Amino acid sequence: MKQGAQGSAGTGAPRERAVGQTGQGEQARVPQQAGAVRGEHTHSEPVLPRPRPVVQRSSVRGQIVDALRAALVAGDLRPGEVYSAPVLGERFGVSATPVREAMQQLAIEGAVEVVPNRGFRVVERGARELEELAEVRSLIEVPVMLRLARAVPAERWAELRPLAEATVRAASSGCRATYAESDRVFHRAVLSLSGNEQLVQIAEDLHRRAQWPLVGGGPGGRGRADLVADAHEHTALLDALVARDLDVVRVLVGEHFAGRA
């Protein structure tokens, strides 16, 4: 049986595609609407307006993901509490859909869990999980940094000095979320010198999880003095990397992870 789709006026000459065999064994050809999707029926369908660029939607979703991550680190989203997409959408001035998509991303990362017909619950974490994360980060990153210390010239480490100094300024602000972001930027830049993008992504995921608040940790997590002390470890680490002092690098990285930075 022949199938067809009427091309709308003013859209140009219709394209053709094969859809089956005629009774004489010949390939039947029918016009296909411009923009029609193979396998979908387009009979009598109106010409739809061009959709808005996908990048705009992705941008909104990405911004909400970043905002939720910051709220999580700052303690605004409290462990054990359930939050609905509509309520969070009102908070950020958007519809529930991009919030729901963003929360699904956080669920994949392990920050929240889905509560059917209610929303998303912030995962409750204890000190034991934090210790395990610190151990895994140490097993992955310490050997890499020791290898980089042997191979990377001093001038390359000097290029990272502004990032280390930025973490000190961020820590001085006392904002946990601001410091968390600058801290990840610094660590990502160091590990990127390895040229191993898979390692960078895995390490950043572990790093982000280590920054989530603990149960009973309070809305702000550690205080400003703790953040500043962590930040100064970045500059000390760069000094050790430049000097190729492997023993100091090993100790500083281990202490840094144990300090939840």
Side-chain angles (χ1 to χ4, degrees), residues 110-251:
V112 301
E113 56 188 8
V114 177
V115 181
N117 302 319
R118 293 185 60 194
F120 301 84
R121 177 184 290 111
V122 178
V123 172
E124 298 181 270
R125 305 168 58 245
R128 176 59 181 171
E129 180 178 348
L130 188 62
E131 293 170 359
E132 292 174 349
L133 286 170
E135 181 181 5
V136 175
R137 291 185 67 197
S138 181
L139 290 171
I140 292 176
E141 296 191 38
V142 169
V144 174
M145 290 194 184
L146 292 176
R147 174 166 58 84
L148 293 175
R150 299 185 184 96
V152 175
E155 56 268 23
R156 292 297 303 277
W157 294 123
E159 295 173 0
L160 303 187
R161 185 74 60 177
L163 297 181
E165 294 171 349
T167 67
V168 176
R169 291 193 298 271
S172 298
S173 73
C175 177
R176 174 74 180 164
T178 300
Y179 175 67
E181 176 60 25
S182 64
D183 185 38
R184 286 195 303 272
V185 169
F186 173 77
H187 280 266
R188 182 167 58 243
V190 171
L191 294 177
S192 292
L193 294 177
S194 69
N196 188 330
E197 183 59 29
Q198 298 302 315
L199 180 146
V200 173
Q201 292 180 11
I202 292 172
E204 185 166 15
D205 176 66
L206 293 170
H207 192 169
R208 192 184 300 280
R209 291 171 59 188
Q211 293 174 327
W212 300 338
L214 295 174
V215 175
R222 294 177 301 159
R224 176 179 173 277
D226 295 322
L227 300 183
V228 171
D230 283 336
H232 280 298
E233 289 177 358
H234 294 146
T235 56
L237 175 61
L238 280 183
D239 291 339
L241 289 168
V242 169
R244 296 190 174 181
D245 191 331
L246 304 187
D247 290 335
V248 174
V249 170
R250 184 182 293 105
V251 171

Side-chain angles (χ1 to χ4, degrees), residues 53-65 101:
V54 176
V55 68
Q56 293 184 7
R57 175 59 173 277
S58 298
S59 176
V60 172
R61 175 185 175 278
Q63 291 178 51
I64 298 300
V65 168
E101 293 172 349

